Amino acid sequence: MVPASLTMEQLLTAHTQPIACIIDQFLPVGGLSLLVARPKAGKSTVARNLMVAVSHGDPFFGRATTLCPIVYFALEEHIDHVANEFRLLGATNEAIHTRVGAITKGHVAELLASDITEYKAGLAVVDPLFDALRVDDANSYTAMNNALKELLQIARVTNCHIMVLHHTNKREGHGGLSVLGSQATTGATDHNAFLTLRSDGRRYFESQARVGTPFECCQVQFDRETHRVWLSNNVPAPNEESMGLRLLNALGTERLTTTEWRSRVKGRNSEKGLAMVQMELAGIIQRHEQGRQVWWS
């Protein structure tokens, strides 16, 4: 279908209201967004907090929400884990329609559109992005752009906001430069949110917006008993070039020996060793031993 050609008068007369949002100035109706973080940084926890807030019509990170049914595709998590996480958040019988487990890539978009339509969902969350796209090369701009436009078209047609969860790359970077894959990944979206895990174990949340108002960088507080999250305002982010952050970026999702890990980051071994110990004590990384062999993950 080809969009109609409108004069400026027709355009301005027909569209006089600001775009509606599921979460005020954050998730536009009929839009597409990314929630990006390194593995195990807590993006799934943040997303589930977001869904529970929307399902109750409660504020999320200080912004008003519009109560609506939700569709949730958890494509790589264990169903018992997902159930327990929602249980901790106090969920009981909310209108969050969930599919947990792997779905053939070629069927995800079609099934997502069907579920959104069936449940009249205003919000859909897909975790993770690459398990949902028909893409073999994530660095191909054309392939990623076409795949994301398929999700965006579903959002536009159904008036449902689709949020997809995604990983950062292993290079040091900030904002859109930290996103794994082609730049088309961030270019096709309306709002991109970033959750950063620092070397001291603290997490920070910020966003970049084409539609809406971006979140300034704020620390994320986490309740270990209820798994609820909230923002602490006016907390500055620590130095992006900290040794702990460089070590985490170098480790990524791999399991490395101490020597292998140290060799990937420039700097004094004493400083690296101190950062490793601090991250181990904070529970950010794990130390594994087998005889004299020591490795980290």
Side-chain angles (χ1 to χ4, degrees):
M1 181 181 295
V2 178
S5 176
L6 303 175
T7 66
M8 183 55 63
E9 182 180 10
Q10 290 171 328
L11 176 64
L12 297 180
T13 301
H15 301 276
T16 59
Q17 300 299 318
I19 190 168
C21 291
I22 297 300
I23 297 180
D24 186 41
Q25 295 298 308
F26 181 32
L27 304 184
V29 171
L32 180 66
S33 64
L34 286 177
L35 174 57
V36 183
R38 67 181 303 109
K40 309 300 186 293
K43 59 184 175 295
S44 296
T45 297
V46 169
R48 283 188 281 264
N49 272 261
L50 183 153
M51 285 184 276
V52 170
V54 171
S55 72
H56 293 162
D58 295 334
F60 173 76
F61 281 1
R63 299 194 182 186
T65 66
T66 299
L67 189 151
C68 65
I70 300 166
V71 166
Y72 178 36
F73 281 19
L75 302 176
E76 64 178 10
E77 295 192 76
H78 194 287
I79 192 167
D80 291 338
H81 173 72
V82 173
N84 189 58
E85 290 294 299
F86 276 118
R87 192 176 294 114
L88 288 171
L89 291 172
T92 54
N93 193 30
E94 288 77 3
I96 304 175
H97 306 278
T98 305
R99 292 185 187 269
V100 182
I103 300 172
T104 304
K105 283 188 175 184
H107 298 301
V108 172
E110 180 181 353
L111 189 58
L112 181 65
S114 175
D115 282 2
I116 290 171
T117 301
E118 178 177 354
Y119 300 118
K120 297 180 174 58
L123 172 67
V125 177
V126 181
D127 180 11
L129 173 65
F130 281 165
D131 283 5
L133 301 182
R134 288 182 265 212
V135 175
D136 294 323
D137 182 6
N139 292 310
S140 168
Y141 185 94
T142 300
M144 285 299 298
N145 187 58
N146 290 339
L148 286 163
K149 288 295 175 62
E150 183 178 15
L151 292 181
L152 183 59
Q153 182 63 18
I154 293 172
R156 296 284 195 257
V157 169
T158 60
N159 275 329
C160 175
H161 184 93
I162 300 177
M163 169 179 274
V164 285
L165 276 58
H166 190 38
H167 297 312
T168 57
N169 54 42
K170 294 180 182 179
R171 300 187 301 275
E172 294 183 34
H174 185 66
L177 296 177
S178 69
V179 177
L180 182 64
S182 166
Q183 291 183 354
T185 310
T186 54
T189 53
D190 297 299
H191 209 125
N192 298 319
F194 303 92
L195 179 68
T196 305
L197 176 63
R198 307 293 183 177
S199 58
D200 59 4
R202 297 179 183 180
R203 291 170 172 83
Y204 292 82
F205 183 86
E206 62 184 317
S207 70
Q208 298 172 344
R210 177 168 60 202
V211 177
T213 302
F215 282 88
E216 298 294 332
C217 186
C218 288
Q219 186 179 342
V220 178
Q221 299 292 339
F222 172 70
D223 187 314
R224 293 187 179 276
E225 292 187 4
T226 65
H227 285 206
R228 291 190 176 275
V229 295
W230 65 96
L231 294 184
S232 293
N233 293 324
N234 302 320
V235 180
N239 183 3
E240 290 285 344
E241 301 299 324
S242 67
M243 178 58 73
L245 181 60
R246 283 187 278 157
L247 283 167
L248 283 175
N249 284 333
L251 182 63
T253 58
E254 296 183 71
R255 177 178 286 196
L256 301 175
T257 66
T258 302
T259 301
E260 290 172 336
W261 193 13
R262 283 176 173 171
S263 67
R264 295 188 178 189
V265 178
K266 294 181 180 180
R268 296 180 180 178
N269 282 339
S270 59
E271 187 180 354
K272 298 175 193 175
L274 177 60
M276 289 176 180
V277 171
Q278 290 174 336
M279 289 189 289
E280 182 185 11
L281 291 174
I284 301 170
I285 59 173
Q286 289 186 320
R287 175 188 176 99
H288 309 271
E289 298 185 36
Q290 186 173 357
R292 295 184 178 181
Q293 183 71 26
V294 177
W295 63 93
W296 304 83
S297 65

